[in-house]
């Protein structure tokens, strides 16, 4: 039964797209490998744009190398620049890994990057080389999330070995914040689990203070751990959409696309468990019960009490939230998680918008809302100007998404609750918590306080109690 209305914003030109570039997502993943330098095979401007976005959000120095395409390279191919680029990176950084993603230009001219890597290895047999990984990331075929998951699969496929070295859980949490990753690691440790979490940019993109500049920041999933990823007893991945959508053209070409967990299941017999991003009580309960099943441990009392406090807060805060109307936008798996949470707390989602075009969003939102939201609009392939055109009719009370939607919230004079990536206009985007009972509690408090503040600021009476 179709209960939500879904449509696609199929514009010839996009105005302020509700998505980012695919190599950006891949670069975030490569920053989550220890000793790794991301490299863009393409024009300098692509690397500059990606660096600018990541530095602004994470407030950290971010080095992204580029093979620096020119007119000549575009016509005759980029192998010379590629080889020179790899040489320079090795000389300047001495990295353990170089993560190469392909920009639109190199994809358009059909660069055979796997071939270039093979050639480079063949002519450089006289010295130890770093691992060279390639993720194919044409932005015209997908979003930053497609690029992110493509890089996760490419890395897993490059490192996984047949050798049985360990007995642990793999966890692929997707594009969450560094603070979320730290929280996740605490939870896994409290369940006494041996695990390999990938990608882990909790330190590399949110460093402690350094007394001396580090060319490659400490932290990240180690190559040793990545090599044992094929001998795990199970994988757990967050996300219902992941990269099952457009990047490899699965739907168009009837080609099978694997998520990292599914790839390991097929190639290494590692059972894959997929759950949503654990935002809200329902999805977090699923996560904790999966951990109980995998570890054989009961949920530690600490987390049971976090859950109890969250339910108490839901009861206390209901009167401020019930019936409020929200617009939610951003990455598909993130918006699915947020909508699931809003359903629990009595906020009515009236528009879900994403730049993603997996073709799965409508079904997932309908499932998440149990088909109860008859007037909920689900828009794929969206841009912010289209959201802006729709909001006057929809009359939302609040918006939830990244900072790119701020100008719409400002025009409407309504609160914007910042989640996800990028957060360019606030401090601490890398430390926003979204997941688990704790992250949900923080999100819940932020939403309520934004609405209380809005009411207070617009009241003719300067009241001091609520
Ligand atoms: S040209 Fe393509 S790869 Fe480069 S910044 Fe633009 S979208 Fe990203």
């Amino acid at each position: 039964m179709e209960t939500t209305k879904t449509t696609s914003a199929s514009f010839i030109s996009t105005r302020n797209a509700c998505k980012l570039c695919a190599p950006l997502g891949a670069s975030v993943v490569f920053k989550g490998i220890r000793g790794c330098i991301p490299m863009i095979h393409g024009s300098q401007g692509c690397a500059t744009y990606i660096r600018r976005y990541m530095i602004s959000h994470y407030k950290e120095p971010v080095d992204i190398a580029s093979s620096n395409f020119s007119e000549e390279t575009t016509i005759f191919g980029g192998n010379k620049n590629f080889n020179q680029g790899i040489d320079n990176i090795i000389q300047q950084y001495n990295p353990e890994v170089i993560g190469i993603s392909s920009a639109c230009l190199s994809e358009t001219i059909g660069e055979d990057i796997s071939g270039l890597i093979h050639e480079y290895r063949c002519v450089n047999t006289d010295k130890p080389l770093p691992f060279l990984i390639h993720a194919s990331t044409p932005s015209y075929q997908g979003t930053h999330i497609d690029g992110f998951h493509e890089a996760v699969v490419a890395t897993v496929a490059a490192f996984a070995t047949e050798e049985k070295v360990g007995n642990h859980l793999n966890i692929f949490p997707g594009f969450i914040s560094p603070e979320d990753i730290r929280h996740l690691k605490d939870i896994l440790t409290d369940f006494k689990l041996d695990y390999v979490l990938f990608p882990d940019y909790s330190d590399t993109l949110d460093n402690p203070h350094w007394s001396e500049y580090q060319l490659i920041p400490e932290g990240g999933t180690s190559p040793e751990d990545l090599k044992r990823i094929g001998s795990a007893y199970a994988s757990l991945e967050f996300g219902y959409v992941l990269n099952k959508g457009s990047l490899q053209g699965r739907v168009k070409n009837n080609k099978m696309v694997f998520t990292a967990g599914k790839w390991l299941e097929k190639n290494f017999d590692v059972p894959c468990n997929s759950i949503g991003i654990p935002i809200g009580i329902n999805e977090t309960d699923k996560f904790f019960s999966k951990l109980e099943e995998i570890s054989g441990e009961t949920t530690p009392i600490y987390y049971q009490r976090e859950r109890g406090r969250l339910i108490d807060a839901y009861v206390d805060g209901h009167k401020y939230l019930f019936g409020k109307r929200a617009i939610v936008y951003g990455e598909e798996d993130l918006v699915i998680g947020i909508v699931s949470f809003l359903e629990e707390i009595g906020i009515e989602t009236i528009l879900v918008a994403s730049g993603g075009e997996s073709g799965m969003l409508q079904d997932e939102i309908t499932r998440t809302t149990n088909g109860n939201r008859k007037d909920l609009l689900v828009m794929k392939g969206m841009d912010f100007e289209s959201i802006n055109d729709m909001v006057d009719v929809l009359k939302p009370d609040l918006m939830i998404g990244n900072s790119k939607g701020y100008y719409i919230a400002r025009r409407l004079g309504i609160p914007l609750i910042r989640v996800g990536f990028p957060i360019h206009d606030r401090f601490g985007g890398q430390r926003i918590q979204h997941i688990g009972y704790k992250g949900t509690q923080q999100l819940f408090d932020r939403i309520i306080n934004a609405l209380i503040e809005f009411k207070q600021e617009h009241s003719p009476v300067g009241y001091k109690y609520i």
Side-chain angles (χ1 to χ4, degrees):
M1 179 177 63
E2 186 174 313
T3 49
T4 52
K5 300 171 195 168
T6 306
T7 186
S8 167
S10 33
F11 306 108
I12 292 171
S13 65
T14 300
R15 301 165 299 163
N16 197 3
C18 189
K19 63 180 177 182
L20 306 168
C21 123
L24 185 151
S27 299
V28 172
V29 171
F30 293 142
K31 289 295 289 181
I33 305 174
R34 189 189 71 197
C36 181
I37 291 288
M39 172 181 171
I40 310 294
H41 189 47
S43 309
Q44 177 63 49
C46 305
T48 305
Y49 151 71
I50 290 167
R51 287 183 63 239
R52 184 233 172 278
Y53 259 60
M54 287 172 69
I55 291 168
S56 168
H57 178 88
Y58 293 111
K59 308 282 190 284
E60 296 292 357
V62 177
D63 286 7
I64 308 278
S66 165
S67 55
N68 206 5
F69 265 47
S70 63
E71 293 97 325
E72 194 187 318
T73 334
T74 309
I75 295 164
F76 297 111
N79 58 332
K80 214 169 114 195
N81 286 37
F82 181 86
N83 294 340
Q84 183 72 57
I86 300 283
D87 282 348
N88 289 347
I89 294 171
I90 293 173
Q91 201 189 345
Q92 287 176 34
Y93 294 92
N94 190 24
E96 291 183 79
V97 181
I98 301 177
I100 304 151
S101 46
S102 35
C104 299
L105 192 50
S106 57
E107 287 282 347
T108 303
I109 66 168
E111 285 279 272
D112 173 13
I113 297 179
S114 302
L116 293 179
I117 291 175
H118 179 70
E119 223 173 85
Y120 187 87
R121 284 199 183 111
C122 288
V123 294
N124 288 283
T125 48
D126 55 331
K127 57 183 179 194
L129 295 178
F131 280 97
L132 300 173
I133 307 164
H134 166 228
S136 173
T137 50
S139 255
Y140 44 78
Q141 223 186 333
T143 71
H144 57 300
I145 287 300
D146 295 296
F148 184 102
H149 291 298
E150 183 67 16
V152 174
V153 181
T155 305
V156 166
F159 276 97
T161 62
E162 297 283 356
E163 201 188 338
K164 287 289 166 206
V165 278
N167 190 28
H168 64 277
L169 172 72
N170 295 325
I171 180 146
F172 304 111
F175 194 10
I176 58 177
S177 74
E179 188 68 33
D180 283 331
I181 296 177
R182 286 190 284 269
H183 182 48
L184 190 51
K185 292 198 306 192
D186 286 344
I187 294 171
L188 295 166
T189 302
D190 289 339
F191 270 90
K192 303 184 182 73
L193 283 162
D194 180 14
Y195 63 89
V196 173
L197 182 150
F198 179 68
D200 180 2
Y201 42 84
S202 59
D203 283 322
T204 55
L205 290 176
D206 194 15
N207 308 294
H209 178 69
W210 304 328
S211 50
E212 276 180 36
Y213 182 69
Q214 296 180 13
L215 275 178
I216 301 180
E218 283 174 14
T221 312
S222 69
E224 297 82 45
D225 271 351
L226 287 168
K227 280 184 199 160
R228 66 188 184 111
I229 218 156
S231 43
Y233 56 77
S235 298
L236 182 55
E237 58 187 10
F238 292 170
Y240 294 115
V241 173
L242 294 156
N243 53 329
K244 296 171 201 151
S246 59
L247 191 64
Q248 295 274 8
R250 178 180 71 120
V251 178
K252 287 177 209 145
N253 303 334
N254 211 16
K255 230 168 74 181
M256 191 62 200
V257 169
F258 295 112
T259 67
K262 291 289 176 200
W263 188 90
L264 283 166
E265 189 170 73
K266 178 162 174 59
N267 292 284
F268 287 85
D269 294 327
V270 179
C272 176
N273 300 273
S274 300
I275 55 171
I277 298 179
I279 302 174
I281 289 177
N282 282 335
E283 291 297 327
T284 305
D285 281 354
K286 285 184 202 165
F287 171 50
F288 274 85
S289 71
K290 193 52 88 178
L291 291 182
E292 287 190 347
E293 183 190 315
I294 289 169
S295 68
E297 300 279 329
T298 51
T299 298
I301 189 75
Y302 177 81
Y303 298 103
Q304 293 180 33
R305 295 188 71 78
E306 266 184 356
R307 184 181 189 279
R309 277 193 294 273
L310 181 57
I311 291 173
D312 189 54
Y314 277 15
V315 175
D316 294 343
H318 190 65
K319 61 187 174 191
Y320 303 109
L321 302 179
F322 181 74
K324 296 290 182 198
R325 293 157 60 83
I327 289 177
V328 183
Y329 60 88
E331 296 122 21
E332 290 171 294
D333 276 315
L334 178 65
V335 296
I336 291 165
I338 299 282
V339 170
S340 169
F341 161 59
L342 296 184
E343 286 295 290
E344 294 172 1
I345 62 175
I347 289 186
E348 185 189 343
T349 310
I350 48 175
L351 169 65
V352 175
S354 177
E357 294 188 76
S358 69
M360 300 170 67
L361 191 58
Q362 176 190 348
D363 286 351
E364 289 302 330
I365 292 291
T366 303
R367 184 188 54 74
T368 300
T369 56
N370 291 320
N372 290 331
R373 296 288 176 200
K374 305 275 183 285
D375 297 323
L376 167 56
L377 279 168
V378 180
M379 301 286 290
K380 62 180 181 178
M382 275 296 266
D383 63 18
F384 282 100
E385 282 308 303
S386 306
I387 299 175
N388 197 23
D389 290 343
M390 296 171 73
V391 290
D392 291 318
V393 178
L394 293 172
K395 301 198 185 317
D397 296 299
L398 72 158
M399 294 174 64
I400 303 177
N402 57 54
S403 64
K404 291 186 76 181
Y406 170 65
Y407 74 103
I408 302 173
R410 180 185 164 93
R411 183 176 71 74
L412 295 179
I414 60 172
L416 167 63
I417 316 303
R418 289 164 180 79
V419 294
F421 178 99
I423 311 291
H424 288 320
D425 64 349
R426 286 289 184 277
F427 192 75
Q430 72 276 49
R431 289 181 289 278
I432 292 180
Q433 286 205 329
H434 310 79
I435 68 163
Y437 303 121
K438 197 172 163 193
T440 304
Q441 180 74 73
Q442 299 217 349
L443 199 49
F444 184 77
D445 292 348
R446 287 204 296 133
I447 292 173
I448 287 209
N449 281 328
L451 289 168
I452 288 174
E453 187 179 333
F454 177 83
K455 196 171 171 194
Q456 191 178 30
E457 301 258 302
H458 290 80
S459 165
V461 181
Y463 60 84
K464 294 179 285 181
Y465 297 94
I466 59 168

